[in-house]
Amino acid sequence: MKRNIQCDNQTCLLCKGCIKEWLPAIAANKKNFNVKKGQVIFSEGDPVKGIYFVYEGNVKVHKKWGADKELIIRFANKGAIFGHRVLGKHATHYPISATALEAGVICYIDMEFFEATLKVNPQFTYQLMLFFADELQEAERKMRNLAHMPVKGRVAQALISLRNQFGTNPEGHIDVELTRQDLASYAGATYETVFRVVNELLQEKLISTNGKKISIINHDKLFLLTQDDEL
């Protein structure tokens, strides 16, 4: 891992949540390294070594789903933590994988120093607890949607969530480029089904596309697709 990449020591959740007296310790213990688009940062089943943060770029966090499919659990963008699901006494292997969606810079903290950070920085520990609570609620919502929501609603929800997280670029596109397969993995559907649903949304003028880029044209009608009386 390269260690010579400059960092402002104030971008990620870790640096923002810790007391300023702890920042020199973080600077001395963190390891920043470049990743290429499509590079696997760690794989499901790898031995646990530490915790990661995104300094630049976007990362998808995913898990095997059946023999040859994956389910994207979440996306981590600038400043976000990932690999944290290994926290706990009995966690020895990563239960998920992480892959760079684009070229970027990742910050790595080994587990021993991360645990020391939690003990010394109660504000950071509190923020991390709130993050875990939000993530648990989101995981429960996705499980409920997989069980009850039609695929069209799940694709609509995925697009809305992506726009909420990444915002839009000057052209109005959701500011992250995903393959249709990634969109399918995030919505919990097959590629063929998502391809059909995206075409339906295009015909209904709820979204527009430009290559891999997607814009939401009619948010209100798209949002209605996520509402189901059974939920």
Side-chain angles (χ1 to χ4, degrees):
M1 293 181 181
K2 297 180 180 179
R3 306 189 186 193
N4 58 350
I5 300 171
Q6 294 299 311
C7 174
D8 60 13
N9 292 324
Q10 55 185 306
T11 292
C12 71
L13 177 68
L14 177 68
C15 292
K16 288 192 292 187
C18 290
I19 57 176
K20 63 180 181 179
E21 291 82 4
W22 193 248
L23 294 181
I26 295 174
N29 283 274
K30 67 180 173 60
K31 298 170 183 152
N32 289 352
F33 61 98
N34 290 309
V35 291
K36 299 178 181 178
K37 180 178 180 178
Q39 180 177 334
V40 177
I41 300 165
F42 59 80
S43 296
E44 187 174 343
D46 283 352
V48 170
K49 295 182 179 179
I51 306 293
Y52 297 81
F53 297 85
V54 180
Y55 185 62
E56 291 179 2
N58 297 308
V59 171
K60 67 175 180 178
V61 178
H62 50 106
K63 188 173 182 62
K64 293 177 183 176
W65 185 28
D68 56 352
K69 297 178 182 178
E70 70 173 21
L71 183 66
I72 294 179
I73 307 299
R74 59 183 281 261
F75 295 98
N77 50 348
K78 188 176 180 69
I81 187 174
F82 64 102
H84 55 280
R85 291 170 182 257
V86 298
L87 289 173
K89 293 182 180 180
H90 305 295
T92 58
H93 296 80
Y94 290 105
I96 41 83
S97 300
T99 303
L101 287 173
E102 58 190 56
V105 178
I106 302 301
C107 177
Y108 167 82
I109 300 287
D110 70 48
M111 189 60 73
E112 184 178 356
F113 178 73
F114 186 76
E115 290 178 347
T117 298
L118 292 175
K119 295 173 183 177
V120 173
N121 295 273
Q123 182 61 28
F124 172 65
T125 303
Y126 175 68
Q127 290 175 1
L128 192 62
M129 182 188 70
L130 295 179
F131 171 78
F132 273 126
D134 288 342
E135 191 174 58
L136 179 59
Q137 291 178 7
E138 178 64 16
E140 291 173 342
R141 183 188 65 78
K142 287 196 73 171
M143 288 178 63
R144 181 193 64 191
N145 290 350
L146 282 171
H148 299 288
M149 185 180 285
V151 176
K152 195 169 185 178
R154 298 206 303 270
V155 173
Q157 181 62 63
L159 293 173
I160 292 171
S161 296
L162 288 169
R163 191 171 78 168
N164 288 343
Q165 179 173 358
F166 294 99
T168 56
N169 62 20
E171 290 75 37
H173 304 123
I174 297 173
D175 200 15
V176 62
E177 285 195 17
L178 296 180
T179 65
R180 293 294 183 267
Q181 183 57 63
D182 279 340
L183 180 58
S185 298
Y186 188 46
T190 64
Y191 171 87
E192 293 78 11
T193 301
V194 167
F195 184 82
R196 174 180 55 79
V197 168
V198 167
N199 284 336
E200 289 178 5
L201 296 176
L202 286 168
Q203 292 173 3
E204 295 166 11
K205 300 188 185 312
L206 302 187
I207 65 171
S208 65
T209 60
N210 182 3
K212 294 180 182 178
K213 298 176 181 178
I214 299 178
S215 297
I216 295 177
I217 297 175
N218 192 322
H219 177 275
D220 291 343
K221 287 188 176 180
L222 194 67
F223 178 73
L224 284 176
L225 295 175
T226 70
Q227 306 304 294
D228 192 313
D229 291 339
E230 295 181 3
L231 296 182

